[in-house]
Amino acid sequence: MNKTYRFGLLGYPLQGSRSPDLHKAALQAAGLAGEYRLYPVEPGDIKRLEELLAHLRNGNLDGLSVTIPHKQAVLPLLDSLSETAHAIRAINTIYARDGRLIGENTDAPGFIMDLDKQGVSGRTCLVLGAGGAARAVVSRLKTNDWEVTVAARRTSQAEALVSEFDLSGACRLDSIPQTNFDLIVNTTPLGMIPNEQSCPWEGDFPTGAFVYDLVYKPPETLLMQRARAAGLRTCNGLGMLLEQAALAFEMWTGYPANKDAMKRALA
Ligand code: NAP
């Protein structure tokens, strides 16, 4: 009998998540039967996290995606981490091998794969925010030879990233130096529904910078609108979302993910 795959997403809140569309499209394009469910788990509900992880361990589930606020909270509940996840200390994908739970981070390769697709080049980058997604982003920028400065509302959080990943500098989000960055990456939730009127950037933009916003709800954030009005190239986080989901799908099933079908599902 053909296998029916069971995947899901752990996080809170999960309304409006695009992950089910992406994974259902990948399953369908690969000719596989399966489902991708949303599992809203409130912050701190370790009992519910353990229950869902037990389903993964005993084979009732085949793969879990993890999003805010559990990307770091779930680490102590896993048996091992991939090299990437270990370096970043945050995961977004879990699978089981021989009853052992393994944490992976596909945000990091997903981000850099999409950045390449955008045709972005340069040397200096400013990352806004210093949370879980920022850790994934700076780790890959660093290994791709970018000089990275981190701006966060808590300088201590930005400074921690600088020392951990050997970056160029840290500053406060509200006092960013007037430097000519080639790339600006927003990893804060500012601009995301329901706070679409908020923006992590005040004032003029560096000439010629590319603005990459990890937020994708709405498809054009206030940051992107302002940057576009200043003549800069921009993109939202949908490309990264697609790439990280494709990598997770391949890990869970062993089948190639049809990215064209996944892209159509997002349209
Ligand atoms: P996180 O771990 O909670 O980190 C968020 C960061 O933003 C922290 O540095 C936080 O600072 C800062 N921040 C939050 N609210 C802020 C505010 N009002 N003003 C200034 N700074 C603020 O979250 P995350 O997992 O990194 O996710 C961040 C964003 O990236 C979310 O919008 C998420 O949807 C998006 N994301 C997109 C993708 C994709 O595939 N496109 C993948 C991952 C994440 P404090 O610690 O001081 O709160």
Side-chain angles (χ1 to χ4, degrees):
M1 205 172 72
N2 284 344
K3 179 176 173 62
T4 298
Y5 287 92
R6 276 159 299 186
F7 308 133
L9 172 63
L10 294 179
Y12 195 88
L14 294 178
Q15 290 96 325
S17 168
R18 304 304 311 272
S19 295
D21 301 332
L22 284 168
H23 285 281
K24 283 174 189 168
L27 282 165
Q28 199 177 17
L32 302 173
E35 61 177 27
Y36 186 101
R37 283 198 195 179
L38 298 180
Y39 296 107
V41 180
E42 290 193 29
D45 190 350
I46 301 294
K47 191 163 171 281
R48 181 65 180 139
L49 283 180
E50 282 175 341
E51 268 170 27
L52 288 163
L53 291 178
H55 286 306
L56 192 54
R57 203 187 284 281
N58 66 25
N60 286 335
L61 284 171
D62 299 292
L64 283 170
S65 314
V66 182
T67 188
I68 298 177
H70 302 305
K71 285 183 172 182
Q72 286 170 288
V74 81
L75 294 181
L77 308 178
L78 305 179
D79 299 310
S80 65
L81 299 179
S82 72
E83 205 177 310
T84 303
H86 189 263
I88 296 168
R89 303 303 302 167
I91 60 114
N92 72 330
T93 303
I94 314 177
Y95 58 93
R97 288 284 181 277
D98 303 322
R100 287 173 56 76
L101 296 179
I102 301 164
E104 178 57 276
N105 189 310
T106 65
D107 280 340
F111 165 73
I112 214 76
M113 284 162 82
D114 190 52
L115 189 69
D116 279 351
K117 279 194 180 157
Q118 304 294 337
V120 179
S121 60
R123 200 168 54 90
T124 55
C125 175
L126 176 68
V127 173
L128 311 174
R135 298 177 69 81
V137 164
V138 303
S139 75
R140 282 301 155 115
L141 286 171
K142 178 71 188 171
T143 50
N144 282 266
D145 295 328
W146 286 83
E147 285 174 17
V148 182
T149 300
V150 181
R153 62 175 164 186
R154 291 184 288 129
T155 326
S156 58
Q157 196 187 32
E159 281 166 351
L161 249 69
V162 169
S163 76
E164 206 173 320
F165 293 95
D166 191 22
L167 308 177
S168 300
C171 62
R172 275 177 61 95
L173 203 51
D174 57 8
S175 56
I176 291 170
Q178 292 290 314
T179 310
N180 253 343
F181 294 104
D182 300 314
L183 172 64
I184 298 169
V185 183
N186 175 39
T187 74
T188 76
L190 291 170
M192 185 168 75
I193 288 170
N195 301 310
E196 57 267 54
Q197 289 313 314
S198 58
C199 179
W201 190 276
E202 299 298 333
D204 295 338
F205 289 95
T207 318
F210 186 99
V211 175
Y212 193 116
D213 200 336
L214 261 61
V215 174
Y216 52 84
K217 288 180 292 187
E220 189 176 52
T221 61
L222 190 52
L223 171 68
M224 291 168 63
Q225 284 171 34
R226 287 182 178 170
R228 186 166 55 83
L232 306 190
R233 290 194 302 140
T234 67
C235 75
N236 65 21
L238 275 179
M240 173 177 171
L241 186 78
L242 189 152
E243 296 293 346
Q244 63 77 28
L247 290 166
F249 178 86
E250 289 172 358
M251 253 166 229
W252 293 336
T253 64
Y255 289 90
N258 184 326
K259 292 188 200 172
D260 289 334
M262 295 169 85
K263 199 168 181 178
R264 281 195 297 277
L266 287 180

